[in-house]
């Protein structure tokens, strides 16, 4: 009987996705290393509809190796959105690697904002950019506020780095697969620690494939404590000042 209270749930079973916002995905088909076809995109969307998702940000990569152009992404987004007849509310943004191309686009203010003046940025998992903190400061100076994608996955970052990001005014975005252990124990433990400190403001699936997201969201790994920790950040709405 007591075991019933300790039964672990999946993200779908937890109800956390009901009315939630997925603020980071690679579901816009045919633009990066994410979903390749609209048919697979649609299968993912139907799955997320069934889980109750309310809003979805399509955030294709922009980096030196994947130099997507703003105008081309907007055109593909418009065509993609026109083919979808479901209830999920779409938004277009981009996941910007902090590299030389980012500096060029930032200087030209040629970025696709996320919410208001927010821009989604990432770095290598293993190595910091040569001037990470300078790049973040330049982002603020250009009139944008960085959302740091999946910070728990950056092996080079310590809690002091996360404290510094928060003091700068950056927004931290949790990768949901991290909290269920997809990227290993280190990323999971860091994600939990950041959740407990209240450092996350939004979550994202970082979805690249149908098989991956359906398996991840169906894995029975969440206890009630973790479900309650996640609940406040699932809406993904940031109060802009």
């Amino acid at each position: 009987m007591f075991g019933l209270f300790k039964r672990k749930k999946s993200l779908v079973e937890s109800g956390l996705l009901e009315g939630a916002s997925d603020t980071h995905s690679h579901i816009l088909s045919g633009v990066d290393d994410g979903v390749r076809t609209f048919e697979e995109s649609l299968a993912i969307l139907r799955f997320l509809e069934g889980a109750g998702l309310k809003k979805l940000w399509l955030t294709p990569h922009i980096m030196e190796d994947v130099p997507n152009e703003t105008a081309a992404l907007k055109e593909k987004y418009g065509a993609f959105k026109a083919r979808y007849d479901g209830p999920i509310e779409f938004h277009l943004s981009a996941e910007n690697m902090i590299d030389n191309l980012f500096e060029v686009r930032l200087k030209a203010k040629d970025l696709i904002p996320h919410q208001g003046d927010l821009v989604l940025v990432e770095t290598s998992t293993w190595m910091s950019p040569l001037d990470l903190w300078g790049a973040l400061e330049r982002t603020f100076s250009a009139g944008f506020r960085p959302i740091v994608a999946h910070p728990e996955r950056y092996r080079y970052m310590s809690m002091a780095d996360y404290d510094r990001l928060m003091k700068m005014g950056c927004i931290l975005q949790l990768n949901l697969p991290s909290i269920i252990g997809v990227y290993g124990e280190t990323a999971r433990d860091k994600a939990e620690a950041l959740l407990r400190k209240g450092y996350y403001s939004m979550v994202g699936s970082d979805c690249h494939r149908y098989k991956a997201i359906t398996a991840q969201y169906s894995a029975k790994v969440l206890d009630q404590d973790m479900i309650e920790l996640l609940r406040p950040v699932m809406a993904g709405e940031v109060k802009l000042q």
Side-chain angles (χ1 to χ4, degrees):
M1 179 177 178
F2 293 106
L4 292 175
F5 296 100
K6 297 181 179 180
R7 185 175 70 87
K8 293 187 177 182
K9 297 179 180 180
S10 69
L11 276 164
V12 172
E13 291 172 330
S14 72
L16 288 171
L17 296 169
E18 289 283 347
S21 295
D22 180 343
T23 62
H24 178 175
S25 76
H26 297 274
I27 297 174
L28 182 61
S29 53
V31 295
D32 60 9
D33 63 342
V35 177
R36 305 296 169 81
T37 68
F38 178 78
E39 289 71 25
E40 184 177 4
S41 297
L42 187 59
I44 294 168
L45 292 169
R46 297 306 187 208
F47 172 73
L48 294 174
E49 288 172 11
L53 192 76
K54 181 180 179 181
K55 296 182 182 181
L56 175 66
W57 270 259
L58 306 176
T59 56
H61 288 291
I62 297 180
M63 60 180 74
E64 290 177 306
D65 293 340
V66 189
N68 277 311
E69 298 285 347
T70 298
L73 286 178
K74 288 182 176 179
E75 182 178 352
K76 290 183 178 181
Y77 169 71
F80 183 91
K81 189 176 179 181
R83 296 180 69 185
Y84 175 64
D85 60 357
I88 296 176
E89 178 184 322
F90 283 160
H91 299 273
L92 176 67
S93 186
E95 183 180 20
N96 301 276
M97 177 67 73
I98 297 179
D99 58 13
N100 290 331
L101 179 58
F102 176 70
E103 296 285 357
V104 171
R105 299 278 180 94
L106 179 64
K107 187 174 182 179
K109 295 193 175 182
D110 180 20
L111 301 173
I112 306 176
H114 196 280
Q115 300 176 43
D117 62 353
L118 307 183
V119 292
L120 183 64
V121 299
E122 68 167 339
T123 78
S124 161
T125 301
W126 298 96
M127 184 181 300
S128 172
L130 290 176
D131 189 20
L132 170 63
W133 304 105
L136 293 173
E137 290 288 2
R138 288 189 289 277
T139 303
F140 279 107
S141 296
F144 300 102
R145 186 178 181 185
I147 304 171
V148 181
H150 42 65
E152 70 283 347
R153 294 175 56 190
Y154 301 142
R155 292 182 176 268
Y156 63 87
M157 281 195 176
S158 66
M159 193 54 69
D161 293 315
Y162 301 128
D163 292 341
R164 185 174 178 181
L165 289 172
M166 294 299 291
K167 288 177 182 177
M168 289 180 76
C170 295
I171 302 295
L172 301 193
Q173 180 191 72
L174 170 64
N175 212 168
L176 279 175
S178 295
I179 205 67
I180 62 175
V182 170
Y183 305 109
E185 291 184 6
T186 299
R188 188 198 180 285
D189 291 347
K190 290 172 80 173
E192 182 174 345
L194 293 171
L195 269 172
R196 292 191 183 280
K197 287 176 74 75
Y199 277 9
Y200 289 117
S201 296
M202 55 180 70
V203 301
S205 64
D206 202 359
C207 176
H208 284 63
R209 297 287 183 272
Y210 173 78
K211 287 185 178 179
I213 193 170
T214 53
Q216 291 163 8
Y217 279 23
S218 300
K220 297 177 184 292
V221 295
L222 300 178
D223 58 27
Q224 194 59 38
D225 178 53
M226 182 55 63
I227 290 170
E228 295 308 317
L229 280 174
L230 286 167
R231 200 176 299 283
V233 297
M234 294 303 293
E237 300 295 333
V238 177
K239 293 181 180 179
L240 304 175
Q241 298 179 350

